[in-house]
Amino acid sequence: MIEKGRLDVRQLAILLFLCTIGEQILVFPAMITSYAQEDAWLSALLGVGGGMGVLIIFLAAYNLNPRMNLIENALQTFGSWIGTLFSCFYLFYFLISASTFIRELGDFMTTQILPSSPIWAIDLLFVGALAWGLIQGLTCIGRTAEVFLPLVVLFLIILLVLLLPQIQLSNIRPVLSNGILDPLKGFVAVLTYPYCELSIFMMLLPYTNQKPHMKKEILLTGMIGGLMLTLTLTISLLVMGSFLTQHYWFASFILAQKINIGNFLQRMEAFIACVWIIAVFFKTILFFYGFILGIAHLFRLSSYRSLILPSALIIFSMSILIAPNETYYLKVVIPYWIDWDLTCGIALPLLLILVHKLRARSSKI
């Protein structure tokens, strides 16, 4: 087996939580509000329920061959040729996703925190940290996530509590003023961001120490992460209103700037920036890991470690080339990302399950 490291169920659950909030803790309010306006909170709640269904699909695909990750499973189920095409589609998805997350981090840092710094320098430092994490191995990644989780949760709770005095219920009224269609569009977006992107965990589940309650912990963690995003979105709507929320791409960061307790406790946006950077780091490193591990399986290599540095250079280059500027990324890349996520998160896993069941039935005849 190429990967000898192991995660326990708690570490897997923590990584799942961090990947669920991921880059979404900053951009989720703006993204969902752009579809559903003041009813975005309703879309988010419905999306959490739908997200449980997406996670059940991932678990069903994993249970087809519990000892195999997604790439191994595809090669066995579809055969050499089709399985290779199926795998390459996912590997390209992992590559572009990791590059996009790094680009989002670079855009955030150079527009909000370090405006005089070149984006390539920020991206290069981040990619270097990712490569170092992968060199240390999967077990080290899981243990590091355990260390950072309390910090992430504490910062989020503090920020949300400090904003409670500024909420205005009138900002989410009237409910369903434009009908049910817009909230349904927002619901599809919530399924995409973040739940379909959790397809990366089909690469991690075989390397988790099996326990009877693993499925329940995965579903519970996915629900908690989704509810945390829903709470952040709702607070954004209640404090800033739907217009400002959808027009600030980093809405949660702007929201943190509004904290003012007695003209003393102010400028708390650094906390939300720390939460976001930590969550994006773990989400990106898992997509990076899925990419190099998948290549190692596809080409039957004995180890993926020799691929870390070359892949790091590719991902760094792609993070710069993926879009000429932030406006292009928002207007051109994002609208098509939903289709890609739905394909990789729902359509292809269902196809994998269907073909596996058909082959199993035909072998019994």
Side-chain angles (χ1 to χ4, degrees), residues 65-313:
N65 290 295
R67 295 184 178 180
M68 296 184 179
N69 61 39
L70 176 63
I71 302 303
E72 293 175 293
N73 201 345
L75 291 171
Q76 184 183 73
T77 301
F78 293 110
S80 178
W81 288 96
I82 299 178
T84 299
L85 292 175
F86 185 96
S87 301
C88 287
F89 188 88
Y90 266 103
L91 292 177
F92 186 66
Y93 173 67
F94 296 156
L95 170 65
I96 297 298
S97 295
S99 303
T100 303
F101 300 149
I102 295 170
R103 179 54 182 265
E104 287 181 350
L105 177 74
D107 285 334
F108 170 72
M109 296 294 290
T110 54
T111 58
Q112 304 295 329
I113 298 180
L114 301 171
S116 299
S117 301
I119 190 172
W120 64 265
I122 302 295
D123 289 356
L124 185 60
L125 286 173
F126 195 63
V127 170
L130 293 171
W132 177 254
L134 286 174
I135 290 172
Q136 301 309 305
L138 183 62
T139 303
C140 182
I141 294 172
R143 291 172 180 171
T144 307
E146 287 184 285
V147 173
F148 279 107
L149 178 68
L151 190 65
V152 170
V153 174
L154 178 63
F155 282 176
L156 285 176
I157 291 175
I158 290 174
L159 289 169
L160 295 176
V161 169
L162 292 178
L163 285 165
L164 290 179
Q166 302 186 40
I167 65 173
Q168 299 179 27
L169 292 176
S170 59
N171 285 333
I172 60 172
R173 297 173 180 166
V175 179
L176 297 177
S177 59
N178 297 319
I180 193 65
L181 184 60
D182 286 345
L184 287 178
K185 292 179 181 178
F187 164 76
V188 175
V190 176
L191 281 186
T192 306
Y193 314 105
Y195 285 107
C196 285
E197 293 180 350
L198 297 179
S199 58
I200 186 63
F201 280 84
M202 289 188 285
M203 297 292 293
L204 294 177
L205 286 170
Y207 312 117
T208 303
N209 295 324
Q210 301 298 311
K211 290 186 178 180
H213 57 277
M214 185 176 74
K215 179 178 179 181
K216 291 182 180 179
E217 289 207 13
I218 289 175
L219 294 176
L220 179 61
T221 305
M223 182 177 65
I224 293 173
L227 291 176
M228 182 65 75
L229 291 177
T230 301
L231 182 59
T232 305
L233 166 61
T234 304
I235 294 292
S236 297
L237 288 173
L238 290 171
V239 173
M240 296 194 299
S242 62
F243 181 82
L244 291 179
T245 298
Q246 68 179 304
H247 286 89
Y248 283 126
W249 178 238
F250 301 116
S252 298
F253 186 77
I254 303 300
L255 192 66
Q257 293 178 341
K258 294 183 175 293
I259 294 175
N260 185 353
I261 307 297
N263 290 324
F264 171 72
L265 194 58
Q266 300 176 344
R267 307 298 297 180
M268 302 289 289
E269 61 270 19
F271 287 108
I272 195 67
C274 290
V275 169
W276 192 69
I277 291 171
I278 292 170
V280 170
F281 174 83
F282 284 103
K283 188 169 185 177
T284 308
I285 201 171
L286 292 186
F287 274 85
F288 192 169
Y289 171 78
F291 174 66
I292 59 176
L293 181 66
I295 290 179
H297 280 295
L298 194 61
F299 291 96
R300 304 180 186 279
L301 303 180
S302 59
S303 173
Y304 63 80
R305 292 184 177 274
S306 61
L307 301 172
I308 294 176
L309 293 181
S311 299
L313 294 176

Side-chain angles (χ1 to χ4, degrees), residues 9-23:
V9 175
R10 182 178 61 181
Q11 292 170 344
L12 181 75
I14 291 172
L15 288 171
L16 183 69
F17 174 78
L18 292 173
C19 283
T20 302
I21 63 173
E23 85 287 6

